[in-house]
Amino acid sequence: MKKLISTLVVFIVVAVGAAYIASNKVEEHYQRTVDKLNDIKGFKVSENKYEKGLFGSNGSFDLTVSKDLFYNITGEETDEDLKFKVESVISHSVFAFLNGFEIDSKVSIQNDMIKNIAATFLGSNVVATAKTKATLAGDKDINVKFSDIDFNDKKTNKFLTKDFKFGLKVDKKYNLNSANIEIAKISFESYGEYKDSIEAEGVYIDTAYTTSVELSKIFESKISPYVANAKFKKVALLSESEGDIVVDDFDYKSKFEISNDLGSLNDVIKIGAVSVSKLKYTDFAFESKLSNINVPAINKVLDKLSS
């Protein structure tokens, strides 16, 4: 009996000790990830807080996205920097050494005017949720889902999004290995003398980098080798005044390679059908190949354009 009790005591001590060590390791990885966000040009992290527990922890921080970076990404100007709060629940246990850990996060907009607008057609100021699966070795699989938008002022325009997601795979050195975007449906409709709209369904874009891209330089304009695929089920441009254009089953594959500072590009496009008003054309296929692309020269041009 004493032997059994001693064994149980040892087991409990080992389990608690392992959980404590795992908890410390998880905190180190979490804090390192937050620090890496701060290294991205145009991002600023503040009010970083972390509450550590044996089997679960909580973290939060404020993230500011500069208006200059927002303009570079979207082409749209804002009067002020965008401010977000990121709140996370981190799940971990003694098995974190084997199974890793998970982070469930929600991202809320904090700018007063935008926050009120978001609450009107999102129901709250939460603009996205994220689930991150990470290993103690440092690999991370990040999946973000934006809140669905259903905005209709019934006078000027209507805007809808459904299941808008993106994902990232990041290695232990915080290099980006791949990224993808998935949208079940997105549409914009304007009301005027004539009703015009644009709709897209079943959008999927995936890019895998054959040479990893440093996460802190993700928004810098540099050419990297990649394999990409973009497809959508349907894209429609509908206009009462100009007529309709509908593209079905679009599939684009692209591969870019670099050898001795020279790039080669191979693109293949397939389209199931294109409808223009009452005319319909089916089964398109295009392929193009470019070689001897001067990569350093293009990178210099991109640097000047982005500066």
Side-chain angles (χ1 to χ4, degrees):
M1 188 68 178
K2 289 183 179 180
K3 188 174 181 180
L4 176 61
I5 294 174
S6 299
T7 302
L8 288 174
V9 170
V10 170
F11 178 79
I12 292 171
V13 170
V14 170
V16 172
Y20 178 77
I21 294 171
S23 176
N24 286 340
K25 289 291 185 183
V26 169
E27 182 181 9
E28 288 175 12
H29 282 285
Y30 176 87
Q31 297 294 1
R32 195 153 51 238
T33 300
V34 173
D35 290 341
K36 285 294 180 180
L37 280 177
N38 215 22
D39 291 340
I40 298 175
K41 186 178 180 181
F43 280 15
K44 182 181 178 182
V45 173
S46 60
E47 299 298 322
N48 182 19
K49 299 176 182 178
Y50 192 89
E51 298 176 1
K52 182 171 63 177
L54 274 181
F55 303 107
S57 303
N58 296 292
S60 68
F61 59 88
D62 293 342
L63 176 65
T64 300
V65 178
S66 72
K67 57 185 180 182
D68 292 334
L69 177 59
F70 183 80
Y71 177 78
N72 289 338
I73 297 173
T74 66
E76 300 290 334
E77 294 185 352
T78 61
D79 294 331
E80 58 182 346
D81 295 339
L82 296 179
K83 299 177 181 178
F84 301 90
K85 177 171 283 295
V86 182
E87 299 171 285
S88 301
V89 176
I90 303 100
S91 302
H92 50 78
S93 69
V94 292
F95 299 108
F97 293 102
L98 299 174
N99 302 327
F101 58 97
E102 293 186 356
I103 304 174
D104 290 290
S105 306
K106 65 178 182 179
V107 183
S108 308
I109 189 73
Q110 298 298 300
N111 301 71
D112 288 335
M113 185 176 72
I114 302 176
K115 180 167 62 176
N116 294 333
I117 294 173
T120 300
F121 55 88
L122 294 179
S124 73
N125 64 328
V126 176
V127 295
T129 57
K131 179 177 283 292
T132 300
K133 293 184 178 180
T135 67
L136 291 183
D139 298 315
K140 287 163 281 293
D141 188 354
I142 305 166
N143 291 283
V144 178
K145 183 182 183 300
F146 292 98
S147 300
D148 290 343
I149 298 174
D150 189 358
F151 173 77
N152 187 356
D153 65 4
K154 298 181 180 180
K155 294 180 180 179
T156 58
N157 55 64
K158 177 182 178 180
F159 182 57
L160 178 145
T161 66
K162 184 178 180 181
D163 291 337
F164 188 167
K165 308 171 185 176
F166 83 84
L168 303 173
K169 290 186 183 296
V170 180
D171 66 20
K172 61 183 179 181
K173 294 182 179 180
Y174 291 89
N175 294 322
L176 179 63
N177 291 330
S178 66
N180 66 76
I181 295 174
E182 186 175 355
I183 307 172
K185 184 175 182 179
I186 184 169
S187 66
F188 176 79
E189 187 173 324
S190 64
Y191 308 123
E193 183 179 355
Y194 299 101
K195 186 167 68 173
D196 299 309
S197 66
I198 179 170
E199 302 174 0
E201 296 179 7
V203 179
Y204 183 78
I205 302 170
D206 181 81
T207 302
Y209 296 98
T210 51
T211 300
S212 299
V213 177
E214 190 176 338
L215 188 62
S216 62
K217 298 180 180 178
I218 190 172
F219 296 120
E220 296 184 12
S221 299
K222 295 284 185 183
I223 300 179
S224 298
Y226 66 81
V227 176
N229 179 218
K231 54 187 177 182
F232 55 75
K233 185 66 178 175
K234 176 182 178 181
V235 167
L237 303 173
L238 309 177
S239 174
E240 290 183 342
S241 60
E242 303 295 334
D244 301 338
I245 300 174
V246 180
V247 179
D248 293 306
D249 298 322
F250 176 92
D251 191 352
Y252 166 69
K253 290 181 171 62
S254 179
K255 185 176 183 180
F256 184 72
E257 298 175 301
I258 300 175
S259 177
N260 298 322
D261 287 336
L262 293 178
S264 61
L265 178 65
N266 186 12
D267 291 339
V268 177
I269 298 175
K270 295 181 180 179
I271 302 174
V274 177
S275 302
V276 182
S277 296
K278 296 182 179 181
L279 300 176
K280 186 173 184 178
Y281 309 90
T282 61
D283 299 325
F284 291 84
F286 308 92
E287 184 173 5
S288 69
K289 294 182 179 181
L290 294 174
S291 58
N292 297 323
I293 301 169
N294 191 324
V295 174
I298 293 176
N299 282 334
K300 286 181 181 179
V301 173
L302 293 174
D303 280 341
K304 290 182 179 180
L305 291 174
S306 62
S307 61

